[in-house]
């Protein structure tokens, strides 16, 4: 029995997860229990349980191989004892963490190498791995999480596994599991949730795991079909192949296929164009480019396939991608053309078989005809064509004079061959027409001077007529082949040049080089023109205006299409005009692509400008409306309290005790502080809206700023926990203090009694994160972005508690310093504000140079009168600066 086990390698089953804690080890141990119950010899070689109660419970009842002990850097490590597993020789062994790195002195450097040795001994292995440990995904994971995986496993090792089972869990469920302490100990939960286990990180890692597993499933299916030579379609999912001819009906077919795909979940669209190997195709490159863009916009893919038998090539492609449906258009051939065959659609429908559904879609181009493009002649030049005609006409005469007039006799057969060489030479030099003329002249001369009776159109030997006829046919055939080869060479060179130009144009579009002037300059350089202009007009009778032009300063101005040598219309009221030389007809196809792109760039620029203008108008209207609402109520509330308290103190008919007077004065002070804070936030928001905030960036520590921002909150309501050895941050200290003060004030306002606010900071890559955590009611996901808009309040907060500018000002200041401010849910309930700042890696604090225009934020010390006075002095100074530089600036005083 042992020899039978040794006869085959062991089977590897891997449990793949998106992140730690999803339940990979739990699933592997559960499978071990199931096999043990079936009588299989199962042992545990190595399991990293991390003291998780449920994992420890599953270890009960399973035989465990004693771990091998290592001492590494003063720590005791328990590692897999590969030799003990091999000596024990069980049927199945559980070895956790496939990507684990073994300590120095181990049998192998990596645990996956231990597993390969165990598999070679014929022992089945149950193992686990996270998606971030796959070697090919290291860069992707680092971009998502900011952390480079230290332990990796080659992808090929995982691909070779006999079974890969995805252990999936929703990110929200995993975060709840962590918050309940089921993954990490309680002292590590907050840090984990704030860094690696963010909702966005987990969602991206889950998508990676799902896509990687789906690709492996597809590979397994294709491999199985190939091994068993299965050519029929397995309808695992709907794949719709659209056959494109390059004609105008292609857009209709693509949209029809898109509607069909929308009826089923997970359907794919694959558009394919079959081109003949000889390049003779009626397809329009421009139309194919448009159709390719359309199919990609609809979520499909475009494919280009070479094949002389179009129906067979189309069916081979469809079966190769495991397609379930084919969409074709009704034939554009005329009725008489069906004598040459039934057509592509009928052939595909007949040969498709029962596994492929073929849809023939009607369109507007039915029976309108189609044909091969006429190949234009090679541009040989006037001199070369003239030489060809001289060779075709003078050459035969000179050769006849040499052979007949001078009496050189070489035999009729050799005479025919010499005239044939002359005809081929005429075709090589001058093209098809000189070659035909040469063949005709040579045939006449052979009949007149080289067959008896001479100088007459008759001949005594009929075989000579056959020879002359054969000569003419061969001469015409050879000349046509030579001419076709010349034209094909010219076409190939031209198409290559066009493809390079269009490829460069497409590349500039993909790179975002959408400046109209840059595109017109490219047109000028490509076609060697002197100047280029894009003209437009309001209507067909309107006056032309120049939307953009390029060219030397002394070049002719193009104000109308008639001013240029070349014009390319784009629609009814747009025209691309060029001056310098007349373009050949062949260049107009590429020029049309440039013209369409130029109009697209112009329209895109204008739409962006209009959208930005509309956004500014809408934002201004919304802010004005909200400001009126704030002034009408929120500013009047503290004023009313101040007015009531002052009136009470001034009243002569009431005698106030010292305690009452102190209470009224305290009410006046609180109302003034509230009013001061409201006006300050309004002024800050106004400066943010007008772009007059200029940060003074310095390298400082958070300890210099954050404690100052907490002075205005009740004592004991905030707990500060800044990590040690934080790097310096590149910020404006004043702006940062104002932003943090607003965040903390907002958190304290919404925190329930007895639940303090936590302010903590940590480093993540080249950034430093400051997190303000509260245990308030929280905000739904749909409202997380809206709370940063000006004049927004949470839920049913009563009026008079602020105008809703604190978070908007905080985000504005954060972005002015090059940082970000986002809202996240606090595990267990509440809201966490995440302020991300740029780290100044190890740089020492420097003294900032004050620019001519700087925004100096107000210290948030509103609890004391001297602080309010400091704020007032700052406000006066700021207003005076605004008035001196710009009398119309928000908050400026008139002179």
């Amino acid at each position: 029995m042992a020899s039978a086990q040794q006869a085959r390698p062991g089977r590897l089953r891997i449990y793949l997860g998106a992140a730690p804690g999803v339940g990979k080890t739990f699933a592997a141990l559960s499978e071990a229990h199931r096999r043990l119950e079936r009588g299989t010899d199962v042992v545990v070689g190595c399991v990293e349980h991390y003291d998780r109660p449920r994992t420890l419970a599953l270890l009960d009842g399973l035989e465990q191989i004693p771990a091998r002990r290592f001492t590494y850097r003063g720590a005791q490590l328990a590692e897999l004892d590969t030799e003990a597993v091999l000596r024990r020789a069980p049927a199945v062994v559980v070895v956790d963490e496939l990507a684990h790195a073994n300590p120095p002195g181990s049998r192998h450097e990596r645990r996956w190498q231990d597993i390969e040795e165990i598999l070679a001994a014929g022992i089945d292995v149950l193992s686990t791995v996270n998606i971030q440990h796959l070697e090919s995904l290291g860069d992707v994971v680092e971009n998502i999480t900011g952390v480079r995986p230290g332990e990796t496993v080659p992808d090929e090792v995982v691909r070779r596994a006999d079974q890969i089972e995805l252990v999936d869990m929703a990110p929200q469920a995993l975060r709840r599991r962590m918050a309940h302490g089921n993954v990490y100990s309680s002292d590590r939960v907050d840090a984990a949730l704030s860094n690696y286990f963010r909702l966005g990180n987990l969602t991206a890692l889950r998508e990676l795991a799902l896509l990687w597993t789906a690709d492996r499933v597809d590979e397994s299916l294709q491999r199985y079909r190939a091994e068993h030579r299965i050519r029929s379609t397995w309808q695992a999912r709907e794949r719709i192949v659209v056959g494109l001819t390059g004609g105008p009906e292609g857009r209709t077919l693509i949209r029809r296929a898109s509607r069909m795909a929308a009826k089923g979940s997970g359907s794919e669209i694959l558009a394919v164009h079959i081109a003949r190997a000889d390049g003779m195709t009626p397809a329009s490159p421009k139309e194919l480019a448009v159709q390719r863009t359309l199919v990609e916009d609809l979520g499909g893919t475009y494919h280009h396939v070479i094949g002389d038998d179009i129906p067979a090539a189309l069916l081979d492609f469809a079966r190769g991608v495991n397609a379930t449906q084919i969409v074709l258009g009704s034939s554009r051939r005329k009725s008489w053309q069906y004598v040459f065959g039934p057509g592509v659609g009928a052939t595909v429908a007949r040969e498709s078989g029962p596994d492929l559904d073929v849809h023939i879609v009607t369109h507007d181009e039915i029976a309108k005809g189609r044909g091969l493009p006429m190949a234009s002649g090679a541009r040989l030049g006037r001199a070369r064509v003239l030489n060809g005609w001289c060779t075709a006409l003078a050459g035969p005469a000179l050769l006849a004079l040499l052979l007949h007039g001078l009496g050189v006799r070489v035999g009729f057969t050799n005479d025919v061959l010499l005239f044939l060489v002359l005809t081929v030479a005429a075709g090589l030099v001058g093209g098809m027409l000189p070659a035909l003329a040469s063949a005709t002249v040579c045939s006449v001369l052979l009949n007149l001077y080289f067959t008896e009776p001479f100088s007459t159109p008759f001949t005594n030997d009929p075989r000579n007529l056959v020879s002359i006829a054969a000569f003419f046919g061969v001469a015409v055939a050879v000349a046509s082949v030579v001419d076709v080869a010349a034209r094909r060479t010219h076409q190939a060179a031209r198409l290559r040049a066009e493809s390079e130009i269009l490829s460069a144009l497409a590349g500039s579009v993909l790179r975002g080089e959408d400046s109209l002037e840059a595109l017109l300059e490219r047109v000028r350089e490509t076609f060697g023109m002197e100047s280029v202009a894009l003209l437009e007009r309001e209507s067909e009778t309107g006056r032309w205006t120049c939307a953009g032009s390029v060219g030397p300063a002394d070049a002719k101005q193009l104000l109308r299409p008639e001013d240029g040598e070349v014009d390319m219309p784009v629609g009814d009221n747009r025209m691309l005009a060029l001056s310098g030389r007349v373009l050949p007809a062949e260049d107009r196809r590429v020029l049309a692509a440039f013209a369409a792109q130029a109009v697209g760039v112009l329209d895109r620029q204008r739409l962006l400008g209009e959208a930005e203008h509309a956004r500014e108008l809408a934002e201004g209207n919304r802010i004005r409306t909200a400001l009126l609402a704030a002034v009408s109520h929120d500013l009047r509330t503290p004023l009313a309290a101040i007015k009531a308290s002052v009136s009470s103190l001034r009243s002569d008919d009431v005698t106030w005790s010292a305690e009452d007077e102190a209470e009224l004065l305290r009410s006046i002070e609180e109302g003034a502080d509230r009013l001061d804070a409201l006006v300050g936030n309004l002024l800050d928001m106004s400066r943010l809206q007008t772009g007059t905030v200029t940060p003074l960036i310095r390298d400082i520590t958070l300890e210099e700023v954050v404690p100052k921002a907490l002075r205005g909150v009740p004592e004991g309501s905030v707990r500060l926990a800044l990590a040690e050895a934080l790097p310096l941050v590149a910020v404006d200290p004043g702006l940062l203090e104002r932003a943090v003060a607003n965040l903390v004030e907002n958190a304290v306002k919404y925190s329930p009694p007895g639940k303090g606010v936590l302010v903590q900071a940590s480093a993540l890559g080249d950034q430093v994160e400051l997190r303000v955590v509260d245990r308030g009611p929280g905000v739904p996901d749909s409202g997380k972005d809206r709370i940063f808009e000006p004049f927004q309040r949470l839920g049913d907060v009563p009026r008079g508690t602020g105008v809703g500018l604190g978070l908007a000002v905080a985000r504005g200041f954060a972005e002015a310093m090059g940082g970000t401010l986002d809202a996240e849910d606090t595990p267990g309930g509440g809201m966490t504000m995440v302020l991300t700042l740029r780290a100044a890696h190890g740089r020492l604090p420097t003294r900032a140079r004050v620019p001519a225009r700087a925004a100096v934020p107000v210290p948030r010390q509103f609890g004391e009168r001297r602080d309010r006075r400091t704020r007032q002095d700052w406000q006066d100074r700021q207003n005076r600066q605004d008035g001196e530089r710009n009398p119309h600036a928000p908050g400026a005083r008139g002179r």
Side-chain angles (χ1 to χ4, degrees):
M1 184 173 182
S3 62
Q5 189 185 55
Q6 296 286 344
R8 68 161 180 88
R11 299 175 64 83
L12 174 61
R13 182 170 184 172
I14 295 177
Y15 293 89
L16 175 68
V22 297
K24 304 179 299 299
T25 305
F26 190 92
L29 292 175
S30 299
E31 176 63 20
H33 275 283
R34 283 192 290 271
R35 297 196 183 191
L36 184 63
E37 292 172 358
R38 294 196 296 265
T40 306
D41 184 14
V42 180
V43 301
V44 175
C46 180
V47 165
E48 305 290 348
H49 52 75
Y50 301 105
D51 296 327
R52 298 169 187 168
R54 297 186 179 183
T55 305
L56 289 171
L58 282 176
L59 287 173
D60 292 339
L62 294 174
E63 178 186 347
Q64 300 184 45
I65 301 294
R68 185 180 179 187
R69 299 293 175 175
F70 288 86
T71 300
Y72 181 65
R73 294 182 179 179
Q76 291 292 325
L77 303 178
E79 298 291 336
L80 172 67
D81 192 341
T82 306
E83 294 180 3
V85 172
L86 295 175
R87 287 195 303 269
R88 171 64 175 77
V92 180
V93 61
V94 180
V95 181
D96 204 7
E97 295 193 0
L98 180 67
H100 177 72
N102 294 327
S106 300
R107 188 185 186 94
H108 297 289
E109 182 180 355
R110 298 284 180 175
R111 184 167 290 173
W112 62 264
Q113 295 171 323
D114 295 327
I115 292 176
E116 287 193 331
E117 184 177 357
I118 294 173
L119 293 171
I123 303 172
D124 293 346
V125 178
L126 304 178
S127 189
T128 65
V129 70
N130 285 323
I131 191 68
Q132 68 263 28
H133 294 303
L134 295 183
E135 199 168 67
S136 65
L137 300 178
D139 295 336
V140 179
V141 173
E142 184 178 12
N143 290 334
I144 294 172
T145 65
V147 179
R148 180 77 179 188
E151 298 175 329
T152 59
V153 58
D155 291 42
E156 186 59 30
V157 174
V158 183
R159 287 196 182 98
R160 287 201 303 264
D162 298 278
Q163 284 182 271
I164 300 176
E165 181 173 329
L166 178 65
V167 182
D168 188 31
M169 176 175 285
Q172 296 85 348
L174 179 56
R175 284 173 61 87
R176 284 196 299 270
R177 175 180 287 186
M178 294 196 65
H180 294 158
N182 294 332
V183 179
Y184 292 147
S185 58
S186 58
D187 59 331
R188 299 176 58 192
V189 169
D190 287 341
L193 291 174
S194 303
N195 294 282
Y196 192 87
F197 288 85
R198 298 178 182 178
L199 185 62
N201 290 359
L202 296 177
T203 302
L205 292 174
R206 185 190 189 197
E207 183 179 11
L208 275 180
L210 291 171
L211 291 175
W212 195 90
T213 308
D215 288 342
R216 303 292 80 74
V217 172
D218 203 36
E219 288 177 3
S220 299
L221 178 61
Q222 296 297 338
R223 184 167 57 250
Y224 180 86
R225 286 166 53 85
E227 290 174 354
H228 293 78
R229 298 181 180 180
I230 299 173
R231 293 186 53 81
S232 61
T233 300
W234 284 6
Q235 299 183 0
R237 72 165 72 177
E238 288 291 340
R239 286 189 175 93
I240 304 174
V241 172
V242 184
L244 301 179
T245 64
E249 78 283 358
R251 305 183 201 183
T252 302
L253 304 183
I254 293 171
R255 293 189 178 97
R256 174 62 175 169
S258 177
R259 291 195 297 271
M260 294 167 59
K263 296 178 181 179
S265 177
S267 300
E268 297 181 25
I269 303 175
L270 301 93
V272 57
H273 172 66
I274 311 294
R276 295 184 184 276
D278 58 5
M280 299 300 290
T281 172
S284 166
K286 181 179 178 181
E287 184 63 30
L288 280 177
V290 172
Q291 293 172 13
R292 177 172 187 166
T293 302
L294 176 60
V295 73
E296 290 174 351
D297 289 343
L298 293 176
T301 56
Y302 178 86
H303 305 268
H304 188 91
V305 177
I306 303 297
D308 291 325
D309 189 345
I310 293 179
L314 181 59
L315 288 171
D316 288 342
F317 174 82
R319 293 191 175 105
V321 298
N322 202 25
T324 58
Q325 303 180 60
I326 298 178
V327 176
L328 300 173
S330 297
S331 178
R332 288 189 285 132
R333 297 194 301 175
K334 295 183 179 297
S335 300
W336 61 268
Q337 292 178 310
Y338 281 97
V339 298
F340 300 106
V344 174
T347 304
V348 170
R350 184 181 67 247
E351 302 293 336
S352 61
D355 54 342
L356 270 174
D357 297 335
V358 179
H359 303 267
I360 306 297
V361 179
T362 59
H363 50 83
D364 296 335
E365 304 297 323
I366 297 177
K368 290 188 177 180
R370 58 183 295 180
L372 295 175
M374 296 301 295
S376 57
R379 297 168 60 185
L380 302 176
R382 180 175 299 179
R384 185 168 175 179
V385 173
L386 182 61
N387 291 334
W389 280 106
C390 292
T391 304
L393 299 179
L398 294 176
L399 183 59
L401 178 63
L402 176 65
L403 297 177
H404 180 74
L406 300 179
V408 179
R409 300 296 180 182
V410 294
F412 182 73
T413 301
N414 291 328
D415 294 336
V416 171
L417 290 177
L418 289 174
F419 278 103
L420 181 60
V421 170
L422 193 62
T423 301
V424 172
L428 288 174
V429 176
M432 186 66 178
L433 292 180
L436 291 176
S438 176
T440 303
V441 172
C442 290
S443 299
V444 172
L445 293 177
L446 284 171
N447 186 31
L448 289 177
Y449 300 108
F450 297 92
T451 59
E452 296 179 354
F454 300 114
S455 301
T456 65
F458 306 104
T459 179
N460 295 333
D461 190 350
R463 290 176 297 179
N464 291 337
L465 290 178
V466 175
S467 299
I468 293 174
F471 161 78
F472 184 82
V474 170
V476 171
V478 172
S480 63
V481 169
V482 171
D483 183 67
V484 167
R487 286 190 282 113
R488 290 287 177 82
T489 302
H490 171 70
Q491 288 176 345
R494 179 166 191 83
L495 289 175
R496 178 180 179 182
E498 289 183 1
S499 64
E500 291 176 353
I501 293 172
L502 294 176
S503 176
L505 177 61
S508 66
V509 174
L510 293 175
R511 290 190 299 270
E513 300 173 2
D514 53 358
S515 169
L516 179 60
E517 287 72 18
L519 183 60
L520 295 180
E521 182 63 28
R522 184 183 293 273
V523 174
R524 191 176 75 88
E525 294 175 355
T526 300
F527 296 99
M529 307 303 283
E530 184 177 352
S531 59
V532 180
L534 180 62
L535 308 176
E536 61 180 353
R537 59 184 177 181
E538 296 289 339
S539 61
E540 294 184 1
T541 58
R543 182 179 179 182
W544 289 100
T545 58
C546 182
S549 63
V550 294
D554 56 349
K556 180 174 63 174
Q557 291 188 349
L558 300 175
L559 303 178
R560 299 175 303 168
E562 296 81 8
D563 295 337
E565 282 75 18
V566 180
D567 58 78
M568 174 58 66
V570 185
D572 296 331
N573 301 316
R574 302 279 181 83
M575 187 77 69
L576 186 65
L578 303 88
S579 67
R581 66 186 181 92
V582 178
L583 285 181
E586 297 90 338
D587 289 341
R588 293 186 66 86
R589 180 172 60 182
V590 180
L591 181 61
F594 274 104
Q597 180 62 25
V599 171
V601 169
L602 178 62
D603 291 340
R604 186 160 54 251
Q605 289 179 346
R606 290 178 175 175
L607 287 175
L608 289 175
E610 293 175 0
E612 180 64 22
H613 182 62
R615 188 194 65 79
E616 293 175 355
L617 291 178
E619 183 68 14
N621 289 334
R622 189 183 64 81
I623 290 179
R624 280 192 292 271
T625 302
L627 181 59
L628 290 175
V631 171
S632 66
H633 187 282
D634 294 283
L635 296 183
R636 292 179 60 187
T637 301
L639 286 174
I642 295 172
K643 179 67 169 59
S645 300
V646 171
S647 298
S648 299
L649 289 173
R650 289 175 54 87
S651 176
D652 297 331
D653 54 352
V654 178
T655 301
W656 301 101
S657 64
E659 292 80 5
D660 293 337
E661 288 183 358
E663 182 65 28
L664 290 172
L665 290 174
R666 188 180 304 109
S667 178
I668 293 173
E669 186 176 22
E670 290 177 355
D673 288 341
R674 288 174 55 192
L675 185 61
D676 190 37
L678 293 175
V679 174
N681 275 335
L682 286 172
L683 291 175
D684 291 339
M685 197 69 235
S686 175
R687 289 186 173 89
L688 286 171
Q689 293 288 340
T690 56
T692 57
V693 174
T694 304
L696 306 176
I697 302 299
R698 292 172 48 197
D699 299 344
I700 64 170
T701 62
L702 290 180
E703 289 83 353
E704 299 178 46
V705 176
V706 175
K708 297 179 182 179
L710 307 181
R711 294 177 182 174
V713 298
E715 185 176 355
S717 61
V718 178
R719 182 167 64 90
L720 186 61
L722 301 181
E724 296 182 1
L726 284 175
L728 300 178
V729 290
V731 297
D732 182 317
L735 294 184
L736 178 59
E737 181 182 340
R738 289 296 308 280
V740 175
N742 281 359
L743 295 178
V744 173
E745 179 183 335
N746 185 77
V748 171
K749 182 189 305 180
Y750 292 107
S751 291
K755 298 288 187 179
V757 174
L758 173 63
V759 179
Q760 60 182 6
S762 60
L764 181 64
D766 59 349
Q767 296 176 333
V768 175
E769 285 191 348
L770 184 69
R771 308 176 75 86
V772 180
V773 184
D774 67 63
R775 295 292 178 176
V779 176
D781 292 340
S782 59
K784 284 187 173 61
D785 287 332
R786 196 170 64 251
I787 61 176
F788 292 104
E789 298 177 4
F791 308 104
Q792 295 293 325
R793 290 183 178 86
L794 174 64
D796 56 354
V797 173
R799 313 242 343 155
T801 59
V803 294
L805 284 175
L807 294 182
V809 170
R811 173 173 274 190
F813 283 169
E815 293 176 350
M817 296 183 292
T820 60
L821 178 60
D822 299 292
E824 295 181 356
D825 290 331
T826 301
M831 177 66 63
T832 299
M833 292 294 173
V834 183
L835 177 60
T836 305
L837 305 171
R838 292 182 292 114
H841 294 285
R843 291 184 295 167
L844 296 177
T846 57
R847 185 176 182 85
R849 294 191 306 166
V850 181
R853 178 70 172 91
V856 184
V858 184
R860 293 294 296 243
Q861 304 171 7
F862 303 138
E864 304 177 12
R865 296 181 181 178
R866 61 180 178 84
D867 296 325
R868 191 167 64 253
R869 182 62 182 172
T870 301
R871 183 185 181 97
Q872 185 61 48
D873 293 341
W874 174 85
Q875 203 71 266
D876 293 341
R877 184 172 66 254
Q878 194 75 347
N879 288 334
R880 285 196 299 271
Q881 291 176 354
D882 288 338
E884 292 170 358
R885 293 183 177 87
N886 184 6
H888 303 289
R893 295 187 179 183
R895 296 189 177 183

